[in-house]
Amino acid sequence: MNKQNTIVVAVDGPSASGKSTVSRRTAAAVGWIYVDSGALYRGVTWKCLKEGIDVKDAQAVTNLLIKMNFQLTCNGEAVGYLIDGEDPGMEIRGEAVRAHVADIAAQQPVRVFIVDKLRQMTKFGNLVMEGRDIGTVVFPDSPFKYYLDADPAERARRRHAELAQREGNSDVTKVLDALKARDQKDSNRATSPLQIALGAKIINSTGMTIEQVVDTIVGDLKAAGLA
Ligand code: DC
């Protein structure tokens, strides 16, 4: 499929709004490729930490972007990447990366670098891409833009359950506080803040099942004759 005909479903929203699960399942339902754009910001953060670079030192971070080899990969179901030949794997989900990624995502050169990588992904085929600025900045012309939200308490409950499963211990009050702090940072940063894209369909998933949200998006694709 050539670049012109490629379709991107853009799914934006705050953390723990259900974007990942919904986007992954939507992609699987229609046989398109899933993209977790946050994983790229996490990858750059991981590389900085690995190289001992201060994530707040914009010049050092920019030098790293110029120097490193960031290669996209695709297994037919999802897009991944290698940084200087290495796959960071689950390390990008750890506490160290989590604590610093918002500082990395706030830097304009990082965003320019990653937006370019995200746009290149259309070479792999039709995409379901989740993030914070996919409908506003990366693919603003997409006819399929969604803003997924859920009440903060519900998002904290979901994230808490996820962390408890992965890391064994988690405190729901701390999770809610961290979530609100990250929302605040993501929504108020000067560069590409989290916003509802023009023409995006807003879905508040608080009282909805994952299947209902997926069905809403797949239904739109079916109505357009794409699924
Ligand atoms: O979705 P996530 O939690 O993996 O995102 C990690 C960080 O990257 C978070 O601080 C928001 C930021 N991000 C962004 O600024 N733009 C995106 N398109 C995706 C993520």
Side-chain angles (χ1 to χ4, degrees), residues 12 15 19 36-39 41-42 93 101-102 105 111 118 130-134 159 182 186 189 192:
D12 291 306
S15 36
K19 287 186 315 260
D36 169 10
S37 66
Y41 291 93
R42 287 172 181 265
R93 306 286 157 201
V101 65
R111 302 205 71 86
L118 295 171
E130 61 146 311
R132 304 291 196 289
D133 63 340
I134 310 308
R159 179 52 55 91
R182 196 126 75 87
D186 288 339
R189 66 179 177 222
S192 307

Side-chain angles (χ1 to χ4, degrees), residues 37-46 48 53-66 68 70 100-118 133 137-138 189 191-192:
S37 66
L40 277 73
Y41 291 93
R42 287 172 181 265
V44 171
T45 309
W46 170 84
C48 283
I53 289 167
D54 175 359
V55 294
K56 290 194 171 157
D57 182 344
Q59 189 57 57
V61 173
T62 302
N63 290 344
L64 176 83
L65 294 176
I66 294 165
M68 74 183 175
F70 195 107
H100 293 107
V101 65
D103 289 321
I104 285 292
Q107 294 172 37
Q108 184 66 12
V110 174
R111 302 205 71 86
V112 169
F113 179 88
I114 289 179
V115 167
D116 177 56
K117 296 287 172 199
L118 295 171
D133 63 340
V137 175
V138 189
R189 66 179 177 222
T191 48
S192 307

Side-chain angles (χ1 to χ4, degrees), residues 10 12 134-137 140 145-147 195-202:
D12 291 306
I134 310 308
T136 51
V137 175
K145 291 185 277 208
Y146 298 88
Y147 187 89
Q195 282 176 337
I196 301 170
L198 208 64
K201 188 181 259 190
I202 302 168

